[in-house]
């Protein structure tokens, strides 16, 4: 036994120095012809310039790619050398084998450079992302918004009723579980990335702005086809999903950097919350680190600025060519709070637009461009509410997403020249397990709440009132409610009831730094039950899961959507529909 | 993960008046015998800090501005301080839990109050409501030691668990 162990140890020490170069873009990267990217080779130790060789299909890289890479002897003052070549473009499709050696170790990766066929199939592309939207959210939204009787739905969601469908896998370079940064980045760049990173391959250096970049669909559509671009969300506009349209950063939390990158890239429509990072730090409510006023800067760059639904509609109706809509200092409120419960920050910001209205105004502005447009629309609070185990709010925001898709589909049906994609960036481990039978207006429960959960035959059907014209039941605290649980949770009090007084806040900071504890406020809810978490103690909410996202597609170019796809293939679908790789 | 939940148990009016009574009591106890004889500190609610609207910046409420320099009492929750024994912490309307992967790490609520204590103290449980009294300071200021920017502060403050 001991000998075997020793042998294994010896083997592992022997194999350790064979640790070799890291090459970005990674092995098996698929690269659009004409799209820019940075090539970087990280050597495991010190590498002498005379011994370094980086070849592309057997040819020295300087000849093959037109310029020589820059050499850095010691990155971050450590014994680690690297070479980087920025803004590489490859115009000829084919297989490219990149081989890097420092004289001792050699490593090679292969890239597939692909072109897109003419003629262009779609004039416009609208990419809808339900952040964290999982199958359970969609089914719950269908039950509430369309109704179900004797096992048959009384109608389909708009996103159900699309001809093309696929399963999309979402893992990133560094982990089987993605976050919203690298998962959205895969859609907007066609390249995999790592947790918290946007528009870059995450390299080993400390700097968050020097990582090898890849080009976004925003830049490609603007640069190659002179198209208009829009980014619409109900989260902070700097949040990972909307930021993925413009950002190149290792760290998604750097909101001030991302605001600057929005200004540099100048999408024609920018709408969401997150005004706090646009206003100078001396202004109450600001979260900037400096005294720059980016609202003024965007105005100087020709943007109309709207802070209410009314101002937004007036600006788009008046023919604004560029529109910045900021409707909340932080995330906008969810639709359940805005339209029905009037809690959260709705009293402070009573005139926040609905996502459907944002999409209408965005299309109104963008469709003026004769070269077409690319629009990303995110219903982003589905994710945030699910993290917070606030399932009713997540379901209502899924219905809102579907309504926004309907607005886009009605627009697309006028000319049949718009590709619509609807999908999630990643999933949550959520499931509908039954129906709670619990009269919330009655006295405190004399039967334990968990025994009021109907399962199998006892589940029956929920008793939400018939939906209104937009698909929303006007009462969520009904007697018979869908029971939707996450399989991942921190310590929290399960109240089995919707949170009528404001979004759920299941945890508070724990006694030990970096840990979390159940929020004792919910201990007072009648029948609340403490659930010890199944996540690490430094987790304060439900987490993402590795299951595939569902993708529904409609319009020209949607025929590529089928079967099982990788998340980087979603970029390819858009690139092919627009013929982004053959334009000049 | 921003949140504004409150328990549903008590009717709102009853709860408010009870809160005010507790605050006044806490203020009296915290400030010691000498100042109990003086006028009780004015009670300031989180809802009173800013005027209703302001996407591009919050406006201080007239009530807040009228109490500048006065002794005030507030109730809220202690956010985790930077170090264990601290004379500086953030008071929030609801208990906070900052989530690294669902939003930015600067995910503070907008209506926070910075508390500068008279004496350094151990933190409480972060789900315990606390009553704080101190002298109200209003206007943008950057803490020299931490770089933390605040708009509303209670100086020379004391707190107790409610």
């Amino acid at each position: 036994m001991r000998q075997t162990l020793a042998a294994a140890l010896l083997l592992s020490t022997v194999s350790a120095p064979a640790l070799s170069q890291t090459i970005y873009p990674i092995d098996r990267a698929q690269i659009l012809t004409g799209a820019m990217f940075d090539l970087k080779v990280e050597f495991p130790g010190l590498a002498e310039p005379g011994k370094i060789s980086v070849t592309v299909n057997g040819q020295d890289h300087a000849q093959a790619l037109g310029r020589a890479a820059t050499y850095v002897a010691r990155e971050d003052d450590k014994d680690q050398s690297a070479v980087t070549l920025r803004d590489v473009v490859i115009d000829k499709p084919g297989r490219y084998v990149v081989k890097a050696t420092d004289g001792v170790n050699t490593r090679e990766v292969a890239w597939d450079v692909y072109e897109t066929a003419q003629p262009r199939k779609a004039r416009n592309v609208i990419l809808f992302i339900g952040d964290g939207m999982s199958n359970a959210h969609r089914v719950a939204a269908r039950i509430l918004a369309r109704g179900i009787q004797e096992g048959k739905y009384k109608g389909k969601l708009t996103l159900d009723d699309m001809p093309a469908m696929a399963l999309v896998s979402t893992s990133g370079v560094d982990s089987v579980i993605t976050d919203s940064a690298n998962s959205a980045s895969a859609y907007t760049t066609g390249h995999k990335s790592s947790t918290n990173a946007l528009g870059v391959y995450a390299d080993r250096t400390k700097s968050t702005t020097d990582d090898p970049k890849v080009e976004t669909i925003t830049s490609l559509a603007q640069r190659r086809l002179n198209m208009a671009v829009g980014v619409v969300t109900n989260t902070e506009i700097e949040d990972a999903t909307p930021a993925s349209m413009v950002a190149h950063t290792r760290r998604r939390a750097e909101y001030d950097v991302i605001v600057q990158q929005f200004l540099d890239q100048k999408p024609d429509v920018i709408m969401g919350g997150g005004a706090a990072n646009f206003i100078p730090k001396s202004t109450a409510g600001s979260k900037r680190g400096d005294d720059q006023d980016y609202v003024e800067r965007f105005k100087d760059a020709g943007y109309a600025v709207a802070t209410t639904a009314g101002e937004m509609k007036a600006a788009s109706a008046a023919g604004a060519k560029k529109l910045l809509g900021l409707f909340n200092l932080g995330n906008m409120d969810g639709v359940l709070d805005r339209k029905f419960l009037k809690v959260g920050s709705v009293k402070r910001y009573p005139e926040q637009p609905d996502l459907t209205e944002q999409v209408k105004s965005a299309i109104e502005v963008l469709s003026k461009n004769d070269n077409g447009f690319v629009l990303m629309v995110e219903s982003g609070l589905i994710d945030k509410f699910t993290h917070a185990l606030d399932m009713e709010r997540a379901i209502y925001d899924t219905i809102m997403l579907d309504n926004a898709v309907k607005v886009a589909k009605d627009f697309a049906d006028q000319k049949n020249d718009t590709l619509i994609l609807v999908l999630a960036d990643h999933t949550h481990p959520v499931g509908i397990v039954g129906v709670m039978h619990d009269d919330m207006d009655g006295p405190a429960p004399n039967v334990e709440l968990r025994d009021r959960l109907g399962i199998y035959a006892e589940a029956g059907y929920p008793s939400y009132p018939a939906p209104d014209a937009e698909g929303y039941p006007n009462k969520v605290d009904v007697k018979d409610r869908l029971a939707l649980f996450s399989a991942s949770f921190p310590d929290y009090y399960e109240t089995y009831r919707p949170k009528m007084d404001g979004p759920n806040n299941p945890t508070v900071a724990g006694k030990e730094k970096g840990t979390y504890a159940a929020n004792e406020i919910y201990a007072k809810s009648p029948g609340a039950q403490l659930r010890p978490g199944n996540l690490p103690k430094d987790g304060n909410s439900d987490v993402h899961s590795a299951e595939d996202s569902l993708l529904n597609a409609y319009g020209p170019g949607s025929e590529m959507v089928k079967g099982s796809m990788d998340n980087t293939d979603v970029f390819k679908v858009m690139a092919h529909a627009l013929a982004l790789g053959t334009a000049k | 993960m921003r949140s504004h939940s409150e328990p549903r148990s008590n009717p709102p009016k009853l709860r408010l008046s009870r809160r005010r009574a507790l605050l006044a009591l806490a203020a009296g106890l915290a400030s010691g015998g000498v100042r109990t004889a003086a006028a009780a500190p004015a009670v300031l609610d989180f809802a009173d800090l800013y005027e209703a609207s302001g996407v591009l910046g919050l406006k201080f409420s007239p009530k807040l501005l009228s109490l500048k320099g006065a002794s005030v009492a507030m109730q809220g929750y202690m956010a985790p301080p930077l170090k264990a024994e601290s004379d500086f912490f953030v008071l929030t309307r609801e208990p906070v839990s900052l989530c690294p992967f669902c939003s930015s790490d600067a995910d503070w609520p907008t209506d926070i109050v910075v508390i500068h204590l008279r004496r350094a103290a151990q933190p409480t449980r972060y789900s315990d409501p606390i009553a704080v009294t101190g002298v109200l300071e209003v206007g943008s200021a950057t803490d020299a030691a931490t770089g933390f920017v605040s708009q509303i502060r209670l100086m020379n403050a004391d707190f107790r668990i409610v």
Side-chain angles (χ1 to χ4, degrees), chain A residues 195-196 239 251-253 255 275 279 281-285 287 295 307 326-329 331 344-345 348-349 384 387-388 440 500-511 513 516 519-522 524 540-541, chain B residues 1-9 50-58 60 77 80-82 93-111 123-127 140 142 149 151:
Chain A
T195 312
N196 292 333
D239 204 6
R251 196 163 166 262
R252 59 183 275 185
Y255 275 18
I279 57 177
K281 79 167 175 185
S282 53
T283 303
K287 287 180 182 171
V295 175
T307 61
L326 295 170
F327 307 110
N328 199 311
L329 278 169
N331 291 318
S345 65
R348 180 167 285 161
Y349 305 117
K384 299 197 189 301
H387 274 299
M440 289 188 63
M500 304 302 285
D501 300 325
N504 195 19
N505 188 16
T507 56
V508 299
K511 202 74 188 166
K513 202 177 168 70
Y516 295 92
N519 190 344
E520 293 293 332
I521 280 177
Y522 300 104
K524 296 168 198 156
N540 67 348
S541 63
Chain B
M1 293 291 294
R2 284 145 28 95
S3 175
H4 306 273
S5 320
E6 283 186 49
R8 312 181 66 215
S9 44
Y50 295 103
E51 287 191 335
S53 65
V55 170
L56 301 181
L58 299 167
F60 299 128
Y77 295 86
L82 291 171
R93 185 199 288 249
E94 301 294 340
V96 294
S97 144
L98 301 177
C99 166
F101 288 105
C102 51
S103 35
S104 74
D105 58 3
D107 193 26
W108 291 103
T110 39
D111 53 353
T124 62
R125 274 203 314 180
Y126 306 119
S127 52
S140 179
T142 307
V149 180
Q151 300 292 338

Side-chain angles (χ1 to χ4, degrees), chain A residues 226-244:
Chain A
N226 294 314
M227 294 174 72
V229 177
V231 189
V232 169
T233 184
N234 60 342
T235 66
E236 294 164 319
I237 191 70
E238 307 88 345
D239 204 6
T241 309
S244 74

Side-chain angles (χ1 to χ4, degrees), chain A residues 81-96:
Chain A
S81 306
V83 296
T84 303
L85 182 60
R86 302 276 180 196
D87 298 336
V88 176
V89 172
I90 300 178
D91 285 318
K92 197 167 163 282
R95 179 177 154 89
Y96 287 77

Side-chain angles (χ1 to χ4, degrees), chain A residues 34-68:
Chain A
M36 285 193 281
F37 62 91
D38 296 344
L39 162 67
K40 184 178 185 193
V41 181
E42 296 182 337
F43 296 97
L46 284 176
E48 289 175 41
K51 290 183 180 161
I52 290 175
S53 154
V54 179
T55 61
V56 179
N57 286 347
Q59 194 180 22
D60 180 62
H61 74 274
Q63 281 180 307
L65 303 175
R67 286 171 296 134

Side-chain angles (χ1 to χ4, degrees), chain A residues 323-336:
Chain A
L323 177 55
L324 171 66
L326 295 170
F327 307 110
N328 199 311
L329 278 169
N331 291 318
M332 292 166 67
D333 289 286
V335 68
L336 181 62

